[in-house]
Amino acid sequence: MLLNSVILVLREVLEAAMVVSLFMAFTTVSQQSRGFLLKAILLGLIAGATYAYFLPEISNWLEGIGQEITNTIIHVGIYLFLTGFLWLISSNIVLPNRLVKAVMMAAIILAISRESAEIMLYISGFSSDHFLMQSVLSGSLIGLGIGVSCGIFLYHLMIALKPAAATRFICVLVVIVGGSMMSQATQFLIQADWLASTEPVWDSSHIISEHSLPGQLLYALMAYEATPTCSQIVIYLTSLALMILVIVVARFLQAQSKYD
């Protein structure tokens, strides 16, 4: 139970830590205040607690697939806000612009609300078993510590670069995380039977298991699946291509405006 708790909480914390560390690094590179990001983290935790509290009712929506559809909407929302962030900074609209702050805050709130709700629900499920609860809490704290440490490491890795290189690195990671969000949204739609479940295209579990630490890190970064379906691969690659296209178009329009 201890190991299960470590892995489950680590998986959830890593995803949110990835988004937060990216934007923390961007504010540091931009030499701007991070106070609005701390507000977003707090709002995300409140939204997560609210989501967890009303989850039984939400799960009954749409003939029992309310949770899957809500999670899909959250992941698509994160993807759209990350795409908006890429558009703005590629158009040279950067901090302290209010719109840039708004899309960063929205992405963090959505990311933390979903992941924190999952953790709260998991822990609360053992509230009646005091013996198991101790093990679950210990494992959860270890998973939380590892996840936060990975986020801190990523943050320092990015700010150690020169500002221009750091911004490019952040953009690359935002594209990868955005693709991860759409891949996970696809999984929820398959669980809800809104997308057909097909045979896996490959099985790489013998190389990197989804349950190992490297597998969890890859899942947080790029929604690693050892047995992905064709629809997951297509939507993942398409979402990556769209984000790259947004960057290219924004930079092209920005360059054109200088000549006008």
Side-chain angles (χ1 to χ4, degrees):
M1 185 54 65
L2 178 70
L3 183 59
N4 289 340
S5 301
V6 172
I7 292 176
L8 187 143
V9 173
L10 172 61
R11 180 169 171 153
E12 305 300 339
V13 172
L14 274 176
E15 291 182 49
M18 189 75 67
V19 176
V20 172
S21 61
L22 284 172
F23 290 146
M24 284 280 187
F26 183 70
T27 54
T28 300
V29 170
S30 306
Q31 298 182 332
Q32 298 293 323
S33 168
R34 291 179 297 206
F36 70 98
L37 294 183
L38 298 178
K39 291 179 184 175
I41 292 172
L42 179 59
L43 290 172
L45 291 172
I46 294 172
T50 306
Y51 183 27
Y53 182 79
F54 289 106
L55 191 58
E57 289 80 8
I58 293 173
S59 298
N60 289 327
W61 293 350
L62 301 170
E63 299 180 347
I65 57 171
Q67 183 179 358
E68 287 78 6
I69 300 306
T70 303
N71 287 338
T72 300
I73 293 171
I74 290 174
H75 282 85
V76 172
I78 297 171
Y79 174 80
L80 292 176
F81 286 121
L82 292 178
T83 304
F85 171 78
L86 290 175
W87 172 268
L88 291 170
I89 64 171
S90 299
S91 303
N92 259 354
I93 302 172
V94 294
L95 292 172
N97 181 275
R98 289 183 179 179
L99 188 55
V100 178
K101 286 184 179 180
V103 295
M104 293 168 72
M105 287 185 70
I108 288 178
I109 291 170
L110 288 178
I112 290 184
S113 64
R114 224 278 301 173
E115 310 307 344
S116 63
E118 291 287 334
I119 294 172
M120 291 175 201
L121 284 170
Y122 173 71
I123 294 176
S124 65
F126 296 92
S127 58
S128 60
D129 192 327
H130 297 293
F131 178 74
L132 283 179
M133 177 59 92
Q134 291 182 355
S135 178
V136 167
L137 286 176
S138 300
S140 299
L141 287 174
I142 294 172
L144 175 65
I146 297 174
V148 172
S149 299
C150 290
I152 293 172
F153 171 77
L154 181 62
Y155 166 78
H156 285 285
L157 180 66
M158 287 184 280
I159 65 170
L161 301 172
K162 293 181 178 179
T167 302
R168 285 195 292 272
F169 187 39
I170 289 169
C171 286
V172 170
L173 290 179
V174 167
V175 170
I176 295 173
V177 172
S180 165
M181 293 299 134
M182 290 304 293
S183 178
Q184 292 182 58
T186 308
Q187 292 175 36
F188 286 119
L189 289 177
I190 291 173
Q191 291 175 20
D193 287 333
W194 281 23
L195 281 179
S197 178
T198 56
E199 290 295 319
V201 178
W202 66 71
D203 185 354
S204 58
S205 57
H206 60 290
I207 302 174
I208 302 178
S209 169
E210 294 176 16
H211 304 293
S212 65
L213 181 58
Q216 294 299 313
L217 290 170
L218 287 174
Y219 179 85
L221 178 63
M222 52 189 297
Y224 169 73
E225 281 280 339
T227 54
T229 63
C230 183
S231 57
Q232 283 179 276
I233 296 171
V234 169
I235 291 177
Y236 179 73
L237 294 177
T238 302
S239 60
L240 291 181
L242 286 174
M243 293 183 104
I244 293 171
L245 182 63
V246 162
I247 295 174
V248 172
V249 171
R251 290 186 174 176
F252 174 76
L253 294 176
Q254 176 67 16
Q256 285 292 101
S257 65
K258 293 180 180 178
Y259 295 106
D260 294 339

